[in-house]
Amino acid sequence: MKIVVCIKQVPDTKGGVKFNPDGTLDRSAMMAIMNPDDKAGLEAALRLKDQYGAEVTVLTMGLPKAEEVLREALAMGADKGILVTDRVLGGADTWATSQTIAGALRNLEYDLIITGRQAIDGDTAQVGPQISEHLDIPVISYAQNLKVEGDSVIVERQYDDRYHVLKAKMPCLVTALAELNEPRYMTPGGIFDAYDAEITVWGRKDLKDVEDSNLGLKGSPTQIAKASDKVRKGAGEKVALDPAESVDYIMDKLLTKHVI
Ligand SMILES: Cc1cc2nc3c(=O)[nH]c(=O)nc-3n(C[C@H](O)[C@H](O)[C@H](O)COP(=O)(O)OP(=O)(O)OC[C@H]3O[C@@H](n4cnc5c(N)ncnc54)[C@H](O)[C@@H]3O)c2cc1C
C-alpha cells in the first residue's frame, strides 16, 4: 500500500496571531510547526505502515523552509519527503494550492492520500476535497477513526453529535481530524536519519497536467483583502456582593443594556 500525506507548515497560533501592517500574516514573529490535523493524518499513515508495511510519502508545498516539517515527518517514520517550491507558486489561494498539490500527486503512485481537515492559519478546510476533485477520486472528510479492509478504507466521519461510518474503495482521499489519534514522538535515531535524508524538490516544471492560469497569485480567484486580530473584550468588572444583591445587580445591568 502506498500512502501520501500532505502536510503544511503553519505558524503556531497558540500565542496569538501576529499581522504585518499590510494585513498579511507576520510568519517571522511566530514559530513554525506541522499543522496539527496533518500530524494526526501522518500518525494514521504510520500506523498503517506498522500494520501492513505501507510506504508513506510526505508532501508539502511552501517556502524552502517548509523542508523542516518534512524532516520532522521522516524522523517520526515517514519514508520519503517531497517539497514543492517555486516562486511562481507563491500567493496561492486554496484553488491554486490544490491544483499545485494535485499536479505533484499525478507523478506518484498512491492508494490513499491523507490531508488534514484544515490548516490552522488559512482555516478553510477546502484543500483536501479540492485535491480529490482534481484527481477524480472519492473523498471522506472529518475522519475521527480510520482503518483499511482489503481494497477499501473504513472511516468514522465526525458529524455534529454523532458519527457516520463510511467506506470507500481506494484510491481515495481522507481528511483527518487532530482527534484521530495521539501522534508519536520522533525517535533519536529517526532524527539523525532524517537530518541526512534526501528530500525531493519539485518546482513548476515538475507539476503534471496543470495550466499556468491555475497557479500562484495570478491563478488564485480569491485574495485576502484584509485580515486582523480579534477585537479584545473589555476588562469586565468585579463586585463583592451577597447572592441576593448580586442577582439585583446583574438584572439591573442587563436591563440598562437592553439585553432583557
Ligand atoms: C488568515 C488567512 C485567511 C485565508 N483565507 C483564504 C480564503 O478565504 N480563501 C482562500 O482561497 N485562501 C485563503 N487563504 C490562503 C490559504 O490559506 C492558502 O491558499 C493555503 O495554502 C491553503 O488553504 P488553507 O490553509 O485554508 O488549507 P486547508 O484547506 O484548511 O488545509 C487542509 C489540508 O490541506 C493540506 N494542505 C493545505 N495547504 C498545504 C500545503 N501548502 N502543502 C501541503 N498540504 C497542504 C493539509 O493537509 C491541510 O491540513 C488564507 C490564508 C490566511 C493566512
Side-chain angles (χ1 to χ4, degrees):
M1 185 174 21
K2 290 187 192 295
I3 307 173
V4 184
V5 187
C6 299
I7 55 179
K8 184 180 181 188
Q9 189 179 46
V10 292
D12 189 354
T13 51
K14 264 197 229 112
V17 178
K18 314 234 171 5
F19 291 101
N20 293 311
D22 65 358
T24 56
L25 274 183
D26 182 2
R27 290 177 190 268
S28 63
M30 294 177 275
M31 257 183 61
I33 56 166
M34 189 188 304
N35 184 53
D37 283 347
D38 308 358
K39 207 171 198 176
L42 172 60
E43 174 61 30
L46 294 174
R47 290 186 189 184
L48 292 172
K49 176 179 171 176
D50 295 341
Q51 230 178 331
Y52 303 107
E55 181 189 85
V56 178
T57 300
V58 282
L59 185 146
T60 193
M61 165 197 167
L63 296 169
K65 180 181 156 54
E67 182 189 309
E68 292 164 3
V69 282
L70 295 177
R71 294 208 185 273
E72 183 181 349
L74 293 173
M76 286 170 69
D79 300 295
K80 291 179 189 167
I82 300 173
L83 170 67
V84 183
T85 187
D86 201 313
R87 270 175 192 275
V88 296
L89 305 175
D93 69 354
T94 62
W95 173 256
T97 300
S98 60
Q99 290 277 1
T100 304
I101 295 174
L105 286 164
R106 287 190 191 98
N107 295 311
L108 302 173
E109 284 177 24
Y110 52 79
D111 301 291
L112 180 61
I113 299 170
I114 302 180
T115 71
R117 172 229 358 220
Q118 73 189 61
I120 57 172
D121 55 350
D123 253 351
T124 65
Q126 294 172 3
V127 171
Q130 285 176 353
I131 294 170
S132 77
E133 276 294 313
H134 302 320
L135 298 176
D136 199 19
I137 56 172
V139 57
I140 304 181
S141 52
Y142 292 73
Q144 60 173 29
N145 205 350
L146 177 159
K147 63 180 177 183
V148 167
E149 265 180 27
D151 61 356
S152 303
V153 279
I154 298 173
V155 173
E156 278 180 19
R157 181 186 193 274
Q158 196 180 78
Y159 190 82
D160 288 340
D161 57 342
R162 68 203 71 185
Y163 61 85
H164 295 155
V165 179
L166 300 173
K167 187 174 178 178
K169 271 227 160 91
M170 294 187 282
C172 71
L173 187 147
V174 172
T175 79
L177 298 178
E179 300 92 291
L180 181 61
N181 52 43
E182 186 67 40
R184 67 192 65 188
Y185 289 106
M186 298 179 277
T187 62
I191 294 171
F192 277 114
D193 292 346
Y195 188 78
D196 289 332
E198 197 176 321
I199 302 280
T200 303
V201 181
W202 284 344
R204 163 53 187 126
K205 66 174 178 12
D206 301 299
L207 305 177
K208 206 167 165 187
D209 298 337
V210 194
E211 303 285 331
D212 283 335
S213 56
N214 284 322
L215 295 175
L217 188 62
K218 282 191 185 149
S220 295
T222 40
Q223 265 135 46
I224 302 159
K226 189 170 177 244
S228 54
D229 216 343
K230 279 186 188 161
V231 178
R232 304 218 178 274
K233 281 189 184 165
E237 184 188 338
K238 266 191 184 171
V239 287
L241 298 169
D242 66 36
E245 285 173 331
S246 304
V247 171
D248 289 342
Y249 187 81
I250 292 168
M251 292 302 284
D252 190 43
K253 286 272 177 201
L254 293 177
L255 283 166
T256 313
K257 290 186 182 288
H258 304 289
V259 177
I260 54 174

